[in-house]
Amino acid sequence: RAAAEAAAAGEDLEGVLSVATRMRSRVQTIFALDSLRYVARTGRVQSLTAWATSLLRVKPLVGLSQGVERPLGFARSHTQCARQLLHHVALTKNGDVPLHVAVVESGCAQQAEKLRSLFQTELAPVECIVVPASPVTQVLAGPGMLGVAYYRGN
């Protein structure tokens, strides 16, 4: 969004790219996956791990920052996923620094809207929107993925 605003303000291509690069380094992302089955197809996790999470009916939570993934835990329901996503973002609180949130969803628009409402109520971000996952993310994560992309500051 910041890059689009820079372009609308008359920045040249180099200026817009600079803004986009700066923002990319600030954005944190957390995904709650419905299953690891789709991720296993990419080779990022072993099929045995995907099978086990499916058998146990747990939803893995994965953090992504500047291209580096990190496991954050598991949840058993969409409600638990939402609470854990909220918790991880709340841990980043830094005084009165503004919070910007995009709830990202892949085939679970109702849960995404509930999560957006939860964020509005609990953390009062200055911006909180729901967006569909990109086609690439949808292929990698599969249906039922719910996540948040967020940053603090102006």
Side-chain angles (χ1 to χ4, degrees), residues 67-116:
V68 178
E69 306 130 352
R70 66 191 187 290
L72 297 175
F74 296 97
R76 290 212 173 257
S77 68
H78 285 290
T79 301
Q80 286 180 352
C81 287
R83 280 282 165 202
Q84 286 192 37
L85 291 168
L86 180 76
H87 171 74
H88 283 287
V89 174
L91 290 175
T92 69
K93 185 163 176 60
N94 183 9
D96 290 333
V97 177
L99 172 65
H100 303 262
V101 177
V103 176
V104 184
E105 60 87 17
S106 175
C108 54
Q110 282 186 319
Q111 288 92 352
E113 189 53 43
K114 286 179 185 177
L115 182 59
R116 187 198 64 74

Side-chain angles (χ1 to χ4, degrees), residues 29 31-33 102-109 112 129-149:
T29 310
F31 294 107
L33 305 172
V103 176
V104 184
E105 60 87 17
S106 175
C108 54
I129 60 174
V130 174
V131 296
S134 72
V136 171
T137 301
Q138 290 181 29
V139 168
L140 294 175
M145 183 278 299
L146 188 61
V148 290

